[in-house]
Amino acid sequence: MKLPTTPDGWAVRVSSLVKAAREIQGLPRFPIDVAAIARDYSRNVFPGEPITLVHGEALGERFEGALAPNPKAKGEWGIIYNSSIKSKGRINFTLAHELGHYLLHRQGEPIFCSKRDMWAWDSEYGAREAEANRFASVLLMPFDDFRVHTETFRRPTLSDFEFLRDRYEVSVTAAILKWLEMTTRRAMLVVSKDGFIDWSWGSTPLFKSGVFFRARQETIAIPERSLAASAQTVPNNSVQHPPGVWHPVESVFESVLFSEYHDMSLSLLIYSGDAIGRSIIEMDDETVPDTFDKFSV
Ligand SMILES: [Zn+2]
């Protein structure tokens, strides 16, 4: 059988095998156990280059995971996650990301993936990282099932994504980015640290209405009256802000989550349905829709 060459092709191939196997075994389809699949699948399809090691290692602060050849056994590969990560969802997503590198990019050299690379679309490895993320996203959260479980989302809060995190064993961040990829709502995820936006990602309808932040290019403080700025002192984790908080003339619904990355806060922003404010928030020539479409975790 001809082997796939794209992230989607590989993800669909592996996903359909898993689905069939689980049906035969009478087991639920989700969550997908990437560690077991990586070993079995690689041994079956690439017997000369199997993944023989899947484990956690001390990779320091910077790295989330890695794909590496076994220095002692030619042809063998290992996929590694940072053992300091305690979130099962982050570990599973990282393993799927590394399996994506194995299927799409292995060339004999190790690939180390930083936390930033995992969400990067503007690094020198951006295309490769985006492909691995795309593979992981489609494998762990297939569109058909994801759609069924999000079709009632009108004004979701971050708590709604905790259900998806548990169903698919992914990070909340990965589930939100998946939803932002598919939704017709104008919505954005803002990840902030120490009072400043670290990175953000918006849905296509929001982007097309001209609303986004250029946090990679300039330092942007989170709004003083935002929930993200109030940190853990706020008992409610969601609020409808009046205009002037997240947007000059739009009311924005914000929910926050502080737990997933301990030093980061996640804000999910839902803008009003009508696209107003084009050119109120600055446009960025580098973030053209083509680039936007490529990043699809
Ligand atoms: Zn990577």
Side-chain angles (χ1 to χ4, degrees):
M1 192 190 285
K2 197 163 175 286
L3 292 175
T5 54
T6 63
D8 283 44
W10 272 118
V12 169
R13 172 75 60 90
V14 178
S15 179
S16 56
L17 283 172
V18 171
K19 185 173 181 229
R22 302 288 274 190
E23 275 170 8
I24 291 166
Q25 293 164 332
L27 295 170
R29 184 178 174 194
F30 302 107
I32 288 175
D33 179 353
V34 177
I37 290 166
R39 285 198 182 88
D40 292 348
Y41 190 76
S42 63
R43 198 179 300 121
N44 282 326
V45 180
F46 302 106
E49 302 172 89
I51 293 170
T52 54
L53 179 82
V54 181
H55 79 162
E57 261 181 41
L59 293 175
E61 277 270 294
R62 196 172 148 222
F63 294 107
E64 196 85 348
L67 168 74
N70 182 345
K72 293 178 188 151
K74 194 165 164 32
E76 292 186 12
W77 289 84
I79 59 178
I80 298 149
Y81 64 90
N82 189 325
S83 56
S84 71
I85 299 171
K86 299 299 174 224
S87 154
K88 275 172 29 182
R90 273 177 68 187
I91 292 171
N92 205 38
F93 191 87
T94 298
L95 292 179
H97 174 105
E98 302 307 336
L99 178 58
H101 279 318
Y102 169 84
L103 294 170
L104 291 156
H105 309 130
R106 70 180 186 282
Q107 288 183 330
E109 295 296 317
I111 297 174
F112 285 88
C113 306
S114 71
K115 197 192 295 181
R116 177 149 287 214
D117 283 343
M118 298 279 288
W119 309 119
W121 52 93
D122 56 358
S123 74
E124 63 182 296
Y125 303 113
R128 199 169 66 169
E129 292 309 310
E131 284 183 355
N133 283 334
R134 172 80 184 188
F135 169 82
S137 174
V138 177
L139 173 66
L140 298 177
M141 301 175 280
F143 289 107
D144 56 345
D145 194 80
F146 194 88
R147 197 169 282 120
V148 167
H149 290 282
T150 54
E151 64 189 1
T152 57
F153 282 15
R154 293 292 173 267
R155 199 181 68 167
T157 67
L158 284 165
S159 319
D160 294 318
F161 288 91
E162 290 176 343
F163 165 77
L164 299 171
R165 171 197 66 195
D166 296 342
R167 176 172 181 77
Y168 300 118
E169 205 165 299
V170 295
S171 60
V172 169
T173 308
I176 295 168
L177 290 171
K178 180 90 173 184
W179 179 71
L180 288 173
E181 180 194 344
M182 296 168 66
T183 186
T184 55
R185 298 301 311 267
R186 298 171 64 239
M188 182 190 286
L189 174 67
V190 175
V191 180
S192 57
K193 184 178 182 181
D194 302 328
F196 293 91
I197 296 176
D198 189 61
W199 59 273
S200 63
W201 197 255
S203 65
T204 301
L206 184 69
F207 179 80
K208 285 186 172 166
S209 70
V211 179
F212 53 82
F213 298 108
R214 297 198 305 181
R216 297 267 179 189
Q217 285 82 32
E218 57 192 65
T219 304
I220 301 175
I222 48 175
E224 266 177 42
R225 287 185 287 149
S226 67
L227 283 185
S230 340
Q232 287 91 335
T233 57
V234 177
N236 293 329
N237 70 356
S238 63
V239 68
Q240 184 74 44
H241 291 296
V245 178
W246 277 103
H247 190 282
V249 298
E250 282 196 59
S251 168
V252 174
F253 179 75
E254 177 186 13
S255 63
V256 289
L257 185 73
F258 296 97
S259 59
E260 193 163 53
Y261 296 88
H262 293 296
D263 53 349
M264 303 273 195
S265 64
L266 306 181
S267 290
L268 179 61
L269 308 179
I270 313 286
Y271 292 70
S272 64
D274 297 327
I276 53 174
R278 186 175 179 88
S279 83
I280 289 174
I281 304 289
E282 50 202 338
M283 291 294 291
D284 176 6
D285 290 343
E286 290 174 38
T287 321
V288 293
D290 270 359
T291 311
F292 190 79
D293 289 342
K294 278 180 199 151
F295 181 73
S296 45
V297 168

